[in-house]
């Protein structure tokens, strides 16, 4: 009994998609809109899950052209909810337009947040999630009465292909804001993600077990990594992200579990990192089991007041209780390029490449690094780094280094005993 209406905003949206040559949605036909309020949702503190799922079911099962699930303006509470495919429309998922604010419900009868995910889209192809709305995780910062230690991810895309997440705002997640896992060909773009600097594990966008992922033109400031690229990521491009505060743009952490899939083919470019603890980073746990991370390029990055602008850390142990703290990592890092990285470091050590004693980093290239460290010369620290496989241990070459890095360039091997 879908009440079908044509919303001018949605028509506009269809036209925009057409002009942008975007996804298979919007062939110029009017969208059939399934508004959540038509299925009983209301702006309130009670759990709107059943209404949301009824509207989703109708849109997902629709055989009409361009079905659209619409969340209108207003603040809607909802517990953990999963929008699952497959859908009927030739395998294509509905367009999801969120113009309102979604919030977790305040607990109590039947309203639960899972520890894993708050809002999930799974098993879908050709999904577009967009709108002017906000997903407010209501975590640290929004309400000090929340003492929850939960690490609930605000939005999970799981097993989603050929899809786009565009233009939404995310605030104060309790865990990661967006997690893209087991996905292929997903674009996340134009996102605004904000959480307090002191809120733990609030990564902006996390990618894992996924291939052909694009994270573009977004502004991200949280209490953890702005973007983190985890195990099993292949062909990931991060372009045009403005990051800070937080822990920077990271590959990892890798090697936490046995049997992790390799990471390969990452490009992180044209980004600005401001006021963060790290700039561009690769991190693996001490004692981590074997896996590989290779073909990784960081390019055209501007650092503004960043504590560790360029860092490979193969003894990553954030809260200092790692069982294998003294064992070397067995994650092999190779073919990593840091190119045209400029700006300011807030510490004296601008470059730290601290690789595993057992698996030296190979094929590491630093080119066009121009960082300043206040009124003191910058230092760089290298251990177990080889420019090319088979070359003498510990050599790294930084062609055309900036004056700031000259000491390291004149003495290509500048190894310090690493006090940790
Ligand atoms: C996703 O897009 C790719 C490339 O256009 C295509 O080869 C693939 O079949 C699509 N996947 C699905 C599930 O439609
Ligand atoms: C660089 O990033 C900005 C956003 O910060 C974006 O607008 C611009 O298109 C990007 N440039 C290129 C060449 O991708
Ligand atoms: C490195 O990764 C990029 C981006 O995914 C890819 O285009 C390129 O083919 C890869 N190069 C090699 C040698 O695998
Ligand atoms: C390094 O950056 C400074 C400050 O932006 C700039 O003045 C200088 O020309 C740059 N040097 C090189 C070699 O690019």
């Amino acid at each position: 009994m879908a009440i079908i209406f044509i919303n001018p905003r949605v028509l506009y949206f269809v036209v925009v998609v057409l002009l942008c040559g975007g996804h298979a949605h919007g062939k110029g036909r009017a969208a059939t809109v399934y508004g959540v309020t038509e299925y009983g949702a209301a702006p309130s503190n009670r759990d709107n899950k059943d209404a949301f799922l009824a509207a989703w079911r109708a849109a997902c099962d629709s055989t009409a052209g361009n079905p659209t699930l619409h969340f209108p303006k207003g603040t809607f509470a909802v517990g953990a909810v999963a929008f699952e495919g497959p859908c009927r429309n030739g395998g294509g998922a509905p367009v999801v337009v969120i113009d309102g604010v979604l919030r977790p419900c305040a607990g109590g009868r039947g309203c639960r947040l899972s520890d894993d995910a708050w809002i999930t889209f799974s098993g879908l192809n050709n999904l577009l999630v967009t709108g002017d709305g906000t997903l407010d995780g209501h975590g640290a910062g929004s309400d000090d009465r929340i003492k929850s230690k939960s690490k609930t991810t605000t939005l999970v895309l799981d097993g989603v292909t050929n899809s786009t997440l565009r233009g939404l705002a995310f605030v104060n997640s309790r865990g990661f804001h967006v997690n893209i896992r087991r996905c292929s060909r997903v674009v996340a773009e134009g996102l605004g993600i904000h959480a307090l600097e002191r809120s733990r594990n609030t990564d902006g966008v996390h990618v894992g077990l996924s291939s052909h992922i694009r994270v573009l033109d977004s502004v991200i400031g949280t209490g953890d990594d702005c973007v983190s690229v985890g195990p099993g990521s292949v062909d990931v491009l991060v372009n045009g992200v403005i990051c800070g505060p937080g822990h920077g743009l990271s590959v990892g952490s890798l090697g936490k579990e046995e049997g992790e899939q390799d990471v390969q083919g990452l490009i992180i470019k044209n980004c600005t990192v401001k006021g963060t603890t790290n700039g561009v980073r690769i991190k693996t746990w001490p004692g981590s089991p074997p896996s590989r991370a290779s073909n990784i390029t960081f390019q055209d990055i501007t650092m503004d007041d960043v504590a560790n602008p360029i860092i490979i850390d193969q003894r990553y142990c954030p809260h200092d209780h790692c069982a294998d703290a003294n064992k070397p990592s067995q994650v092999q890092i190779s073919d990593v390029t840091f190119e045209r990285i400029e700006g300011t470091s807030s510490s004296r050590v601008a470059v730290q490449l601290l690789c595993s004693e057992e698996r030296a980093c190979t094929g590491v290239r630093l080119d066009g690094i121009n960082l300043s460290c206040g009124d003191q010369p910058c230092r760089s620290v290298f251990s177990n780094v080889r420019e090319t496989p088979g070359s003498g241990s510990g050599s790294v070459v930084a062609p055309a280094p900036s004056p700031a890095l000259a000491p390291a360039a004149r003495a290509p091997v500048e190894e310090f005993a690493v006090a940790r």
Side-chain angles (χ1 to χ4, degrees), residues 302-325:
T302 302
M303 303 286 172
D304 181 352
D305 197 33
V306 171
N308 303 304
I310 296 177
I311 177 167
I312 295 178
D313 181 2
Q314 292 214 258
R315 285 178 179 264
Y316 172 72
C317 180
H319 308 302
D320 277 335
H321 27 78
C322 299
D324 294 322

Side-chain angles (χ1 to χ4, degrees), residues 125-163:
N125 183 41
N126 263 320
L127 174 72
L128 169 63
V129 181
T130 188
D132 297 330
T134 300
L135 304 193
D136 180 353
H138 211 233
S142 55
D143 184 345
D144 284 339
R145 284 170 302 176
I146 294 182
K147 297 272 189 320
S148 156
K149 290 218 170 67
S150 89
K151 293 184 181 173
T152 312
T153 298
T154 289
L155 179 70
V156 175
L157 302 184
D158 191 346
V160 170
T161 53
N162 297 332
S163 293

Side-chain angles (χ1 to χ4, degrees), residues 143-223:
D143 184 345
D144 284 339
R145 284 170 302 176
I146 294 182
K147 297 272 189 320
S148 156
K149 290 218 170 67
S150 89
K151 293 184 181 173
T152 312
T153 298
T154 289
L155 179 70
V156 175
L157 302 184
D158 191 346
V160 170
T161 53
N162 297 332
S163 293
T164 302
L165 172 65
R166 179 184 297 141
L168 292 166
F170 294 80
V171 297
N172 295 331
S173 184
R174 296 166 191 219
F176 294 176
H177 287 79
V178 176
N179 188 353
I180 298 172
R181 68 183 181 212
R182 295 186 282 255
C183 292
S184 177
R185 299 186 198 281
V186 169
V187 179
E189 62 185 357
L191 308 180
I193 303 181
H194 300 282
L196 289 187
E197 195 170 357
R198 64 173 161 81
S199 56
R200 271 196 186 182
N201 292 311
T202 52
D203 294 35
V205 178
H206 180 80
V207 178
L209 300 174
S210 294
S211 54
H212 316 302
I213 306 300
R214 307 287 175 252
V215 180
L216 311 175
D217 302 332
S218 294
V219 179
I220 305 176
T222 71

Side-chain angles (χ1 to χ4, degrees), residues 73-408:
K73 287 205 182 308
T75 299
F76 296 85
V78 65
V81 61
F83 301 107
E84 294 171 346
C87 291
R88 213 161 151 194
N89 194 12
V95 174
V96 176
V97 179
I98 302 174
D99 286 326
V101 177
L102 304 187
R103 271 187 131 177
C105 44
R109 274 176 302 134
C111 179
R112 298 178 63 89
L113 275 193
S114 82
D115 283 343
D116 178 38
W118 174 32
I119 297 171
T120 304
F121 289 91
S122 68
L124 294 160
N125 183 41
N126 263 320
L127 174 72
L128 169 63
V129 181
T130 188
D132 297 330
T134 300
L135 304 193
D136 180 353
H138 211 233
S142 55
D143 184 345
D144 284 339
R145 284 170 302 176
I146 294 182
K147 297 272 189 320
S148 156
K149 290 218 170 67
S150 89
K151 293 184 181 173
T152 312
T153 298
T154 289
L155 179 70
V156 175
L157 302 184
D158 191 346
V160 170
T161 53
N162 297 332
S163 293
T164 302
L165 172 65
R166 179 184 297 141
L168 292 166
F170 294 80
V171 297
N172 295 331
S173 184
R174 296 166 191 219
F176 294 176
H177 287 79
V178 176
N179 188 353
I180 298 172
R181 68 183 181 212
R182 295 186 282 255
C183 292
S184 177
R185 299 186 198 281
V186 169
V187 179
E189 62 185 357
L191 308 180
I193 303 181
H194 300 282
L196 289 187
E197 195 170 357
R198 64 173 161 81
S199 56
R200 271 196 186 182
N201 292 311
T202 52
D203 294 35
V205 178
H206 180 80
V207 178
L209 300 174
S210 294
S211 54
H212 316 302
I213 306 300
R214 307 287 175 252
V215 180
L216 311 175
D217 302 332
S218 294
V219 179
I220 305 176
T222 71
D224 210 304
D225 295 326
C226 293
V227 178
S228 55
V229 180
S233 298
V234 177
D235 182 24
V236 176
L237 170 68
V238 177
N239 184 354
V241 169
I242 297 172
C243 165
H247 298 177
L249 303 167
S250 296
V251 177
S253 51
L254 304 178
K256 187 163 197 180
E257 316 281 346
E258 199 71 47
E260 282 182 2
Q261 292 178 31
D262 296 345
V263 168
Q264 45 179 306
L266 313 185
I267 300 175
I268 297 180
K269 68 176 185 185
N270 180 38
C271 295
T272 299
V273 186
K274 185 175 163 60
T276 54
T277 52
N278 305 287
V280 289
R281 169 165 72 156
I282 302 175
K283 49 179 170 172
T284 78
W285 295 84
S288 46
S291 68
R292 292 171 170 276
S294 63
N295 186 14
I296 299 170
T297 300
F298 300 98
Q299 202 176 56
D300 298 309
I301 312 284
T302 302
M303 303 286 172
D304 181 352
D305 197 33
V306 171
N308 303 304
I310 296 177
I311 177 167
I312 295 178
D313 181 2
Q314 292 214 258
R315 285 178 179 264
Y316 172 72
C317 180
H319 308 302
D320 277 335
H321 27 78
C322 299
D324 294 322
N326 294 315
K327 292 194 191 148
S329 167
Q330 294 191 58
V331 177
Q332 171 71 61
I333 295 174
S334 57
D335 299 313
V336 180
T337 299
F338 298 95
E339 199 171 32
R340 296 188 298 274
I341 297 184
E342 304 206 341
T344 57
S345 170
S346 62
S347 80
R348 276 199 62 193
V349 185
V351 179
Q352 297 177 71
L353 306 181
L354 307 176
C355 296
S356 165
E357 295 93 315
E358 264 185 29
R359 305 282 162 107
C361 296
T362 61
V364 178
R365 211 165 63 88
L366 290 162
D367 195 359
I369 309 299
N370 182 5
L371 294 162
S372 63
C373 301
D375 47 15
Q376 300 185 306
C378 290
R379 283 174 43 189
S380 41
V381 183
F382 304 126
S383 59
N384 306 302
V385 181
R386 296 182 193 166
E387 190 207 3
T388 49
S391 72
S393 108
S395 73
V396 63
V397 180
S402 66
L405 278 181

